[in-house]
Amino acid sequence: MIVKFHKKTERIKGLSFHPKQPWLLIGLHSGTIQMIDYRLGRTIEEFVEHEGPVRSVQFHQSLCLFVSGSDDFTVRVWNYKTKKCQFVLRGHLDFVRCVHFHPELPWCVSASDDQTSRIWNYQSRQMIAIVTGHSHYVMHCEFHPTKDFLITCSLDQTIRLWSISQLKKRFTQKNVQNEQQNELELIQILEGHNQGVNWCTFSSTENLILSASDDKKVKVWKFYESRGFEIDSYTGHNNNVSSVKFHPYGDYFISNSEDNTIRLWDMKKKIEIDCFTNYELDRFWVSAVHQNNNYFAGGSDSALYIFTLFKNRPAIDLVDNKNLFVGSKKQIKLIDLQTNQEKDIKNFQEISNSISDNLLQDNIEFIQQNIYETSKNQLLVRLKQNSHNKQRGICKYVIFECQTNISQIFLGKTAIFIGKSKILKSKENSELEIYNFEVDSHTALGYKADKLFSYQGGKAIFYTDQMINVLDPVANQVIHQIPCSIEFNNMKKVLTNDTYVMIQTKKAIYLFTKSFQRVTQISESINIKSVLFLSRTQNIIIYSTKVHIKYLLINGDSGIFGTMETVPYLIQLQQPIDKQSEKYKLYYMNNVGKLLNMSLDCSEMLFKQALIDKNIKYIQNFLKTRKIFGDLITSYLYQKGFSMLAYQLVDDKRAKFQLALSSNNLELSYRTCDDLKNPICYQQLSEEAMRQGNHNIVEVCQQKLRSSDQLSFLYTITGQNEKLNVLSTIAKEQNEYNTRFQTILHLGNINQRIQFLQDCKLNHIANLSKLVHGLDYDKKFIISEDLEWLQSLQPETLQPPISIIRSKQHPLFSMNWPHNFIDQEQQYNQLIVEDQDTKEKTQKQQHEKSSKNQEKQNINNLKIQDEKQETEILQQQDKEEIFEDCQWEINEQELLELQLNQTTLDFKSLQYGYPDYKKVLSPVEQVITEQFQQFQQTLKSTKNVTNLHLCKDYMKQLCLSSIMEITQIPFLQSAPYMLTSLQDKQHFNRNSQNLLKQGYKQTTDGKFQDALNTFKNLLRQALFYDKNTDIVPICYNYIMAMNCELNKKDQSVSRQIELACYMAMCDLQPIHRSLTLRAAMSLAYKHKNYLTGAQVAKYLLKLLEKAPQGSAYAKIEVIENVKKIQKNCEQQSRNEYQIDFEEEYLIQGCKILFADTLTINKEQSNHQCQFDKAIHTQNRKICKICDLCYIN
């Protein structure tokens, strides 16, 4: 017997296991009832209403009730959910010894020292029968689990078997009137004990009764419908036998006694198998058996014990993610997880006479298949240690071949397969040796270890002297030694996948790289029972404790899948057939060796892993498809710095504001704050905006707060004297003298200052101010003391501070202060763009955001258009000169210039602290380090860019946003420092993202000219980012589409149809592509070009059928309308106008269109722009898509 739980208590008189939960009910002699969780070893609740010792307790099999009997003569029924006593059953005249629920009916039976047993209806709370006949204390009573029998035993040395069939019949017919009419039918009085009988119980499977007596004997009785008799008697206890219970495993029973022991008996062999002596050497009074697992409990004078017959951890080995070898007792089985077919391999009792047939000896504890042997199915099995070898740690090992039934047995502390016919084992003295069982040879290695774990490539891992050792047995060499804590002395398991190594100890999991660099770890307060990797390629660990199934990610984050009623031992987490599904199938075993499976919702785990892997597509799909999000996900996103993702999951406006603010999104923060109208929020937003350098938002917030002092300071440092004057005027009207005086000081106007002093009736001070500043003053009010006082002060003129950016002198005043904005969530902000047709709220936010920048964008577009026209005129006038300038030849003068550029670069690297100036710089790095000539030459040589003045404003913005000045000690000039960020090299900045969103919205709204300008600006910005080539084809397709639409004006009908079809060829977003196809189909159908209309409609239907379910552009009515038009077109089957268009053009896309003439390329022209890849009909001209590159 294995002790699983031990707890010091008062004297225990009653015990009962819960049928499902890991709970045990304890009735104490002190009158208290305790309910404990034996898996966690904690007391859940105490019930203290009895006024005497509680001698019996029992859980109900299905309801949340339990019953108790006490020396206070009462029977109480409790509800453990409400933690209250439901009612009290009174009627006994002496101590209540036993209580027991009927398995089906709402009855309970109680036995008492008043020599009676009483049956109660706990629904009506009435007594329905009194059982009389015993002549002494009735010690125990019990209903049969399935049949209509009741058994009682007494100190009168008899056991009485009763039939309750008539009582049950009258109860079902509702004819139970009073207890006098409901006497039970006595079947048999069982006599045989020489002293009082303390306990009697039924078998749930056979017609057997067990009884325990003060004559130190346990007797077995056989009964039938009309009689009963003794069939066996067991002796061995040295004192009164207190209780006896059938074990659910089979032909075994458990007894405990006042001789301080609990004993296990085999009814077939009629012998005692095992005996456990109480640690405290006091008397056992009661026992209980769990009907669904191997647990049983015993209660003594001062302690509680919970036992199991076998180890809970099953002996399993999963091979090829399909075949599961299971060792159960002395039997090996093979289970196919795909078909759930089970096959018996071998019973070990048939192998050798040295295998004991004792229930508790030589049971399988460990099993491993030899993965290095492919021709034979070899198994290594470890059997349970006997009592002699257990203290020395020596086990019995069996090598078994399934095909030939050949087996070999040897002793050792531990053993594992390391190759064909080779085993690495630890001998009785802990020395390691290689055992070749095919030729029976032994090779000593010179190392010592008590535990060995298999590692990839035939290697082994073991622990010695606070070191984890990785041993290559063949080379007899330790290839890795990792210092560790003494906790690793209790290693339980080692697993590997394609990337990592996982080591499990008793209460912790450690994750290492293949070079044994520690990645992460997690510790639990209770034992970890099993662990596995999600797959060979997915670096997620799934593990189980006594009560939970959990997961661990490589960044240290963990989570809980759910709580289990029994201890789960994980085998495999099977991925769903549908890759889009997040429901995984988990195979596991419980503590009785039963294979079970359940469905696990892994959405939370996969979402967190997607954040680690930066899987944008999965995150986007997760946010779109999930309608309900828990607070834990929102809190997790906030803690991990993904505030913009968390912003989408909350509805509370205050929470939205805090999330937007923490994500550094000032525009979104301001919109949310404006809805709240909360001064505290405005103050927080103002502080964050000041930190980021956004003085426009600072100004708005301070205006909302009516903070005149802060506004005055802000207007001063930004040089907005006009607003300072307005602020002074407002302060004058509101008689706010302090604000007015501070504003006048910041303005630096002496006349206004003197006027203010006069308005305050400080004429004398005003006259002195005139004197000091050399103005005309009234000499009548000046005395000699005033002059002496002024001379002693040595006054100096007060000058306002110099503004950072002055509106009249700085061309970029409309921008915020230059700063390098590095957003940790920059790539995730793209996910906030939602479908405009399905999410109106998001559309409204985007519209507000776009409208703020619309006026500024229009001004920039007008400037760009004017500059573009001037450029084209200059290009047409001097084509030949441009062509010659584009030729790249390095002469001596240019080599000299390159050397000068290198010198300049060295100086810039020293000035700005650039990390490695000798490496190849990207275009952005060349701009921000002021290497403009080298930047121009790079673009000219790689992309033939000759029209860079269109990017002048954006280059200025890059320069300003990448340099900051660090204040030095006094009297030293501030040191410039260049800011760099990994985000800048891999992704567009916030302005580029906004342009993409703005372009999409303008396209949806039908503002094609504005969309054309937006995508051209975005394309020019993409020129500076080498790694953002994915944005170029997007801009190219939209620019081609906009050109087709804008060129339709004043064209013939045939050309209009042609251009509409060419626009439909452009690879746009699905919602926009569907609109262009529908427009082309409708135009062709309207002008009777039915062949063309049918071709476009056919392609459109394919696009709509592939649309995600619920998409706004793929509604049922739209699809039906397209099918109707297609049917009509196919019936007509003719074209009214001849156009250059084929159905295959829709598949090839706009890459076959000439950008300058918008016609089909049939001659395979090679006149291509090196930047956006647009083809042209002629050479030596500026690209019509980007307006930057010279076609050559």
Side-chain angles (χ1 to χ4, degrees):
M1 290 180 279
I2 303 172
V3 178
K4 299 297 293 184
F5 181 75
H6 177 221
K7 180 183 179 182
K8 292 281 188 178
T9 64
E10 300 172 3
R11 179 183 295 176
I12 298 174
K13 302 298 288 185
L15 288 174
S16 177
F17 279 101
H18 193 281
K20 294 181 180 179
Q21 300 294 338
W23 299 340
L24 181 66
L25 209 59
I26 306 173
L28 300 177
H29 195 266
S30 62
T32 302
I33 302 172
Q34 290 184 347
M35 187 164 66
I36 67 168
D37 187 325
Y38 52 84
R39 281 197 298 182
L40 300 178
R42 300 171 184 170
T43 300
I44 301 174
E45 193 61 52
E46 289 189 351
F47 306 88
V48 289
E49 292 190 18
H50 278 295
E51 297 177 357
V54 179
R55 297 188 179 272
S56 180
V57 289
Q58 191 200 16
F59 275 114
H60 196 280
Q61 291 297 308
S62 56
L63 302 177
C64 53
L65 302 175
F66 69 87
V67 64
S68 63
S70 170
D71 286 2
D72 60 5
F73 306 170
T74 63
V75 175
R76 294 177 183 263
V77 179
W78 309 75
N79 187 318
Y80 57 78
K81 282 193 174 180
T82 61
K83 304 176 184 179
K84 294 180 180 179
C85 177
Q86 296 288 89
F87 48 85
V88 181
L89 303 175
R90 304 181 188 274
H92 281 294
L93 305 177
D94 208 335
F95 298 166
V96 179
R97 293 281 181 175
C98 178
V99 288
H100 193 270
F101 277 117
H102 192 278
E104 297 177 355
L105 300 175
W107 295 352
C108 63
V109 63
S110 58
S112 171
D113 286 359
D114 62 6
Q115 303 179 12
T116 67
S117 296
R118 300 173 187 251
I119 300 177
W120 312 81
N121 185 334
Y122 57 79
Q123 285 184 342
S124 62
R125 307 180 186 182
Q126 294 179 350
M127 186 192 310
I128 60 175
I130 299 178
V131 184
T132 60
H134 285 291
S135 59
H136 208 302
Y137 299 162
V138 182
M139 300 299 291
H140 193 80
C141 58
E142 185 176 310
F143 287 113
H144 193 281
T146 57
K147 299 179 180 180
D148 296 333
F149 292 109
L150 172 69
I151 191 172
T152 60
C153 64
S154 170
L155 294 184
D156 63 5
Q157 305 178 12
T158 65
I159 303 163
R160 293 177 181 251
L161 181 65
W162 310 82
S163 173
I164 61 171
S165 57
Q166 293 300 321
L167 181 66
K168 182 177 179 181
K169 184 177 180 181
R170 288 198 295 270
F171 176 79
T172 54
Q173 294 175 355
K174 300 183 180 179
N175 194 25
V176 179
Q177 297 177 0
N178 55 66
E179 63 274 10
Q180 285 76 18
Q181 298 178 357
N182 298 320
E183 294 184 358
L184 304 185
E185 177 187 355
L186 178 63
I187 297 177
Q188 181 75 42
I189 299 176
L190 304 176
E191 296 178 323
H193 284 291
N194 299 326
Q195 295 187 28
V197 183
N198 295 317
W199 201 277
C200 56
T201 184
F202 285 110
S203 170
S204 60
T205 57
E206 299 181 49
N207 292 345
L208 296 177
I209 296 173
L210 280 175
S211 61
S213 171
D214 288 346
D215 61 4
K216 308 174 188 178
K217 295 179 182 179
V218 176
K219 290 184 180 293
V220 184
W221 312 79
K222 187 82 172 181
F223 71 92
Y224 295 99
E225 295 294 330
S226 58
R227 66 189 181 93
F229 53 90
E230 180 184 342
I231 62 172
D232 214 339
S233 179
Y234 293 85
T235 59
H237 283 291
N238 302 322
N239 207 332
N240 302 338
V241 184
S242 305
S243 67
V244 63
K245 286 282 188 180
F246 283 102
H247 193 279
Y249 178 68
D251 298 324
Y252 303 91
F253 68 87
I254 296 158
S255 63
N256 63 11
S257 167
E258 295 180 29
D259 64 0
N260 311 333
T261 64
I262 291 181
R263 300 174 189 254
L264 177 66
W265 308 80
D266 188 332
M267 298 176 65
K268 285 186 176 181
K269 298 180 180 179
K270 301 181 180 181
I271 60 172
E272 176 187 320
I273 297 176
D274 200 4
C275 176
F276 173 80
T277 303
N278 195 322
Y279 297 155
E280 289 79 15
L281 299 179
D282 52 15
R283 297 168 295 180
F284 276 109
W285 291 104
V286 65
S287 61
V289 174
H290 200 295
Q291 295 300 318
N292 299 325
N293 57 37
N294 292 324
Y295 290 145
F296 60 94
S300 69
D301 283 326
S302 60
L304 167 69
Y305 293 86
I306 297 180
F307 306 89
T308 183
L309 296 181
F310 314 102
K311 279 193 173 183
N312 290 340
R313 188 183 304 276
I316 55 177
D317 187 27
L318 182 63
V319 180
D320 298 331
N321 290 325
K322 175 185 176 183
N323 298 321
L324 179 67
F325 288 94
V326 180
S328 176
K329 311 304 181 289
K330 298 176 178 63
Q331 183 81 21
I332 295 180
K333 297 182 291 185
L334 177 63
I335 302 176
D336 191 327
L337 295 182
Q338 295 182 356
T339 61
N340 290 328
Q341 293 182 352
E342 187 175 308
K343 177 184 177 182
D344 291 335
I345 300 296
K346 194 65 178 177
N347 190 331
F348 269 40
Q349 288 182 349
E350 303 173 1
I351 294 179
S352 172
N353 295 329
S354 62
I355 306 297
S356 172
D357 60 351
N358 189 302
L359 175 69
L360 301 182
Q361 293 183 11
D362 290 343
N363 291 319
I364 300 173
E365 291 185 330
F366 166 83
I367 187 169
Q368 181 189 18
Q369 191 201 38
N370 191 354
I371 60 174
Y372 308 103
E373 178 63 73
T374 57
S375 60
K376 302 176 183 178
N377 195 0
Q378 294 177 343
L379 299 177
L380 176 65
V381 179
R382 183 180 73 222
L383 304 182
K384 185 179 179 181
Q385 308 153 329
N386 57 41
S387 57
H388 172 68
N389 287 330
K390 186 174 182 180
Q391 298 177 356
R392 300 163 56 197
I394 300 173
C395 303
K396 186 184 295 183
Y397 282 87
V398 179
I399 305 170
F400 174 70
E401 290 187 8
C402 300
Q403 293 87 345
T404 61
N405 288 339
I406 298 175
S407 62
Q408 298 182 42
I409 300 176
F410 64 90
L411 296 178
K413 288 190 173 182
T414 182
I416 56 174
F417 280 117
I418 59 171
K420 288 186 177 182
S421 304
K422 290 183 180 179
I423 286 176
L424 178 65
K425 75 170 186 175
S426 173
K427 298 192 297 184
E428 291 86 343
N429 58 0
S430 301
E431 291 183 355
L432 299 184
E433 69 172 16
I434 299 176
Y435 172 42
N436 190 325
F437 53 84
E438 188 173 10
V439 297
D440 195 20
S441 66
H442 300 263
T443 305
L445 299 180
Y447 299 99
K448 285 189 175 183
D450 292 332
K451 291 183 180 180
L452 292 172
F453 299 92
S454 296
Y455 188 56
Q456 60 185 9
K459 301 176 180 61
I461 291 179
F462 63 93
Y463 170 88
T464 54
D465 300 329
Q466 296 189 2
M467 283 283 185
I468 299 175
N469 302 278
V470 182
L471 173 67
D472 186 346
V474 178
N476 194 10
Q477 180 183 2
V478 175
I479 57 177
H480 285 292
Q481 276 195 327
I482 305 97
C484 62
S485 63
I486 197 171
E487 181 186 5
F488 284 84
N489 187 33
N490 200 6
M491 277 196 293
K492 298 293 185 182
K493 196 170 188 178
V494 176
L495 289 177
T496 62
N497 71 349
D498 293 342
T499 312
Y500 295 106
V501 180
M502 185 280 302
I503 297 179
Q504 174 206 345
T505 61
K506 187 175 183 179
K507 294 185 178 181
I509 296 174
Y510 297 86
L511 191 65
F512 300 87
T513 63
K514 288 299 180 68
S515 58
F516 286 89
Q517 300 295 321
R518 185 173 296 184
V519 177
T520 187
Q521 70 181 70
I522 189 170
S523 299
E524 294 286 343
S525 59
I526 56 178
N527 294 353
I528 296 173
K529 293 299 183 180
S530 59
V531 63
L532 54 86
F533 276 109
L534 182 59
S535 69
R536 296 291 301 176
T537 57
Q538 292 177 291
N539 302 316
I540 302 176
I541 295 175
I542 314 297
Y543 68 98
S544 65
T545 62
K546 291 182 178 180
V547 291
H548 294 121
I549 298 178
K550 300 184 177 183
Y551 62 86
L552 172 66
L553 305 179
I554 59 174
N555 65 348
D557 293 335
S558 62
I560 300 176
F561 286 116
T563 305
M564 304 294 290
E565 294 181 355
T566 60
V567 180
Y569 295 90
L570 308 182
I571 297 173
Q572 183 189 40
L573 193 63
Q574 198 173 82
Q575 297 186 5
I577 299 176
D578 181 10
K579 294 185 179 180
Q580 301 297 325
S581 175
E582 296 168 344
K583 297 285 187 179
Y584 282 63
K585 190 175 184 180
L586 175 67
Y587 287 94
Y588 67 97
M589 277 192 169
N590 59 11
N591 61 329
V592 295
K594 184 177 180 181
L595 179 64
L596 303 170
N597 65 77
M598 62 180 294
S599 178
L600 279 186
D601 185 358
C602 300
S603 56
E604 177 186 324
M605 176 190 72
L606 296 176
F607 176 69
K608 292 181 180 179
Q609 184 63 31
L611 292 175
I612 298 173
D613 298 338
K614 299 181 180 179
N615 188 342
I616 304 298
K617 185 177 180 181
Y618 183 88
I619 298 172
Q620 185 177 20
N621 182 64
F622 183 88
L623 295 178
K624 284 184 178 180
T625 55
R626 295 281 165 168
K627 296 181 179 179
I628 300 176
F629 294 92
D631 293 337
L632 290 178
I633 284 289
T634 306
S635 176
Y636 176 83
L637 291 171
Y638 174 72
Q639 292 175 2
K640 294 300 178 180
F642 303 109
S643 300
M644 286 310 297
L645 294 181
Y647 178 89
Q648 306 303 306
L649 311 183
V650 297
D651 296 324
D652 183 71
K653 291 184 178 180
R654 187 176 293 273
K656 280 180 171 289
F657 169 74
Q658 294 295 339
L659 290 170
L661 195 64
S662 64
S663 66
N664 299 326
N665 192 324
L666 295 180
E667 295 178 4
L668 198 58
S669 301
Y670 175 73
R671 287 201 297 272
T672 311
C673 183
D674 204 36
D675 294 336
L676 289 171
K677 308 293 184 184
N678 191 319
I680 298 177
C681 294
Y682 278 120
Q683 183 62 37
Q684 293 176 350
L685 179 59
S686 175
E687 293 173 358
E688 178 62 22
M690 180 65 78
R691 186 187 70 82
Q692 292 191 24
N694 194 318
H695 60 80
N696 294 325
I697 291 183
V698 174
E699 178 183 356
V700 175
C701 292
Q702 296 301 334
Q703 288 176 355
K704 297 285 186 181
L705 294 171
R706 300 183 182 277
S707 179
S708 303
D709 296 343
Q710 297 290 337
L711 283 172
S712 176
F713 175 74
L714 179 66
Y715 292 151
T716 300
I717 62 177
T718 55
Q720 302 183 69
N721 293 334
E722 301 84 358
K723 293 185 178 180
L724 274 175
N725 285 322
V726 173
L727 192 63
S728 177
T729 303
I730 295 174
K732 182 178 180 181
E733 293 176 354
Q734 296 180 354
N735 295 324
E736 295 181 0
Y737 295 106
N738 291 335
T739 302
R740 183 184 174 193
F741 181 67
Q742 183 180 1
T743 306
I744 291 173
L745 284 179
H746 289 167
L747 283 170
N749 191 320
I750 183 58
N751 294 325
Q752 292 184 10
R753 197 184 309 165
I754 293 172
Q755 183 61 44
F756 169 76
L757 294 173
Q758 291 175 351
D759 294 342
C760 294
K761 298 182 180 180
L762 300 174
N763 295 325
H764 187 64
I765 298 178
N767 202 32
L768 289 176
S769 297
K770 292 180 181 179
L771 171 62
V772 170
H773 290 86
L775 302 177
D776 295 336
Y777 63 95
D778 193 346
K779 298 180 180 180
K780 297 179 182 179
F781 299 100
I782 300 298
I783 58 179
S784 59
E785 287 81 0
D786 292 335
L787 295 175
E788 293 176 358
W789 176 66
L790 289 175
Q791 290 177 358
S792 66
L793 291 177
Q794 297 181 357
E796 295 181 1
T797 304
L798 289 176
Q799 295 292 336
I802 300 174
S803 60
I804 296 177
I805 298 178
R806 284 164 285 184
S807 57
K808 293 183 180 180
Q809 299 180 9
H810 205 288
L812 298 178
F813 177 76
S814 59
M815 299 171 53
N816 288 309
W817 292 327
H819 61 285
N820 186 42
F821 188 86
I822 302 175
D823 190 354
Q824 296 294 333
E825 299 179 15
Q826 192 167 14
Q827 55 183 321
Y828 297 101
N829 289 343
Q830 301 176 26
L831 306 180
I832 301 173
V833 181
E834 300 288 347
D835 191 352
Q836 296 183 359
D837 296 319
T838 58
K839 301 209 174 182
E840 297 178 0
K841 185 177 179 180
T842 307
Q843 181 183 16
K844 179 180 177 182
Q845 292 177 351
Q846 291 178 346
H847 178 69
E848 291 175 356
K849 188 175 180 180
S850 300
S851 60
K852 289 183 178 180
N853 298 327
Q854 189 64 39
E855 182 178 354
K856 175 183 171 182
Q857 189 66 37
N858 291 338
I859 295 173
N860 293 336
N861 290 340
L862 291 173
K863 292 181 180 179
I864 292 172
Q865 289 177 359
D866 293 338
E867 292 176 354
K868 185 175 72 171
Q869 292 176 0
E870 295 175 2
T871 303
E872 289 179 351
I873 295 173
L874 292 174
Q875 297 293 339
Q876 292 294 333
Q877 291 177 352
D878 197 9
K879 290 183 179 179
E880 296 299 326
E881 292 181 3
I882 293 177
F883 176 75
E884 292 175 359
D885 292 339
C886 288
Q887 304 302 317
W888 183 257
E889 295 180 0
I890 300 180
N891 52 33
E892 294 180 357
Q893 182 64 28
E894 289 172 336
L895 286 173
L896 180 59
E897 290 177 1
L898 287 176
Q899 292 176 359
L900 293 175
N901 289 338
Q902 186 62 50
T903 304
T904 305
L905 180 58
D906 291 345
F907 171 75
K908 292 298 180 183
S909 67
L910 293 174
Q911 184 181 6
Y912 296 120
Y914 198 80
D916 186 6
Y917 61 85
K918 293 184 179 180
K919 70 174 185 178
V920 179
L921 302 183
S922 67
V924 174
E925 292 168 338
Q926 291 173 344
V927 171
I928 62 180
T929 53
E930 300 180 11
Q931 303 173 56
F932 301 114
Q933 184 176 1
Q934 189 170 351
F935 165 74
Q936 185 175 3
Q937 292 175 353
T938 300
L939 292 183
K940 187 175 181 181
S941 61
T942 57
K943 298 181 177 64
N944 212 4
V945 178
T946 60
N947 203 16
L948 265 178
H949 70 277
L950 295 177
C951 307
K952 182 171 61 176
D953 291 339
Y954 186 68
M955 292 168 63
K956 289 181 181 179
Q957 184 179 350
L958 281 177
C959 291
L960 288 172
S961 64
S962 303
I963 303 297
M964 67 176 290
E965 289 191 348
I966 301 177
T967 305
Q968 303 290 330
I969 60 175
F971 312 109
L972 289 182
Q973 185 179 3
S974 299
Y977 181 76
M978 187 185 73
L979 301 178
T980 60
S981 169
L982 185 63
Q983 303 285 345
D984 293 335
K985 300 177 183 178
Q986 296 181 350
H987 302 280
F988 277 118
N989 57 19
R990 183 181 299 274
N991 184 43
S992 300
Q993 295 178 22
N994 292 339
L995 283 177
L996 188 60
K997 298 174 188 176
Q998 182 180 344
Y1000 286 157
K1001 186 178 186 304
Q1002 290 168 344
T1003 305
T1004 305
D1005 295 340
K1007 301 176 181 179
F1008 300 113
Q1009 184 61 51
D1010 295 340
L1012 177 64
N1013 296 333
T1014 300
F1015 283 108
K1016 284 202 172 188
N1017 288 337
L1018 182 57
L1019 186 62
R1020 291 165 190 160
Q1021 292 184 14
L1023 181 70
F1024 296 80
Y1025 298 89
D1026 290 336
K1027 295 185 180 180
N1028 283 281
T1029 55
D1030 55 338
I1031 203 69
V1032 174
I1034 295 176
C1035 295
Y1036 167 70
N1037 280 277
Y1038 273 87
I1039 291 172
M1040 287 291 291
M1042 299 306 107
N1043 284 336
C1044 291
E1045 179 63 26
L1046 295 174
N1047 277 278
K1048 283 166 55 177
K1049 188 177 181 180
D1050 300 330
Q1051 298 287 345
S1052 62
V1053 175
S1054 60
R1055 181 59 174 164
Q1056 288 182 14
I1057 299 174
E1058 202 173 58
L1059 289 174
C1061 293
Y1062 293 166
M1063 186 180 183
M1065 291 164 50
C1066 299
D1067 186 15
L1068 310 182
Q1069 292 295 318
I1071 185 172
H1072 297 148
R1073 185 76 185 274
S1074 65
L1075 292 175
T1076 59
L1077 287 166
R1078 287 169 62 185
M1081 178 188 67
S1082 300
L1083 189 62
Y1085 183 77
K1086 176 182 177 182
H1087 294 289
K1088 301 180 180 179
N1089 262 41
Y1090 298 116
L1091 288 175
T1092 304
Q1095 292 170 348
V1096 177
K1098 181 180 178 181
Y1099 189 88
L1100 176 58
L1101 282 176
K1102 292 181 181 179
L1103 178 66
L1104 296 178
E1105 289 171 356
K1106 294 179 181 178
Q1109 187 175 3
S1111 299
Y1113 65 89
K1115 296 179 180 178
I1116 298 176
E1117 53 268 27
V1118 174
I1119 297 176
E1120 294 299 327
N1121 187 36
V1122 174
K1123 289 181 178 179
K1124 188 183 297 183
I1125 294 177
Q1126 183 189 14
K1127 183 177 179 182
N1128 293 340
C1129 289
E1130 289 176 349
Q1131 290 177 354
Q1132 300 292 335
S1133 186
R1134 64 183 178 85
N1135 273 343
E1136 188 70 22
Y1137 300 92
Q1138 293 298 322
I1139 61 172
D1140 187 7
F1141 179 76
E1142 299 293 341
E1143 185 178 356
E1144 62 182 4
Y1145 292 171
L1146 292 171
I1147 301 175
Q1148 295 177 357
C1150 62
K1151 62 184 179 181
I1152 62 173
L1153 276 177
F1154 286 118
D1156 50 351
T1157 61
L1158 298 180
T1159 56
I1160 299 296
N1161 176 20
K1162 296 183 178 180
E1163 301 176 357
Q1164 300 298 321
S1165 172
N1166 292 324
H1167 305 316
Q1168 190 179 49
C1169 176
Q1170 297 183 29
F1171 175 40
D1172 54 43
K1173 309 304 179 184
I1175 58 174
H1176 295 72
T1177 57
Q1178 297 180 2
N1179 204 354
R1180 300 183 183 181
K1181 59 190 303 184
I1182 295 294
C1183 175
K1184 292 296 183 180
I1185 301 298
C1186 63
D1187 297 330
L1188 299 173
C1189 303
Y1190 191 77
I1191 306 301
N1192 186 5

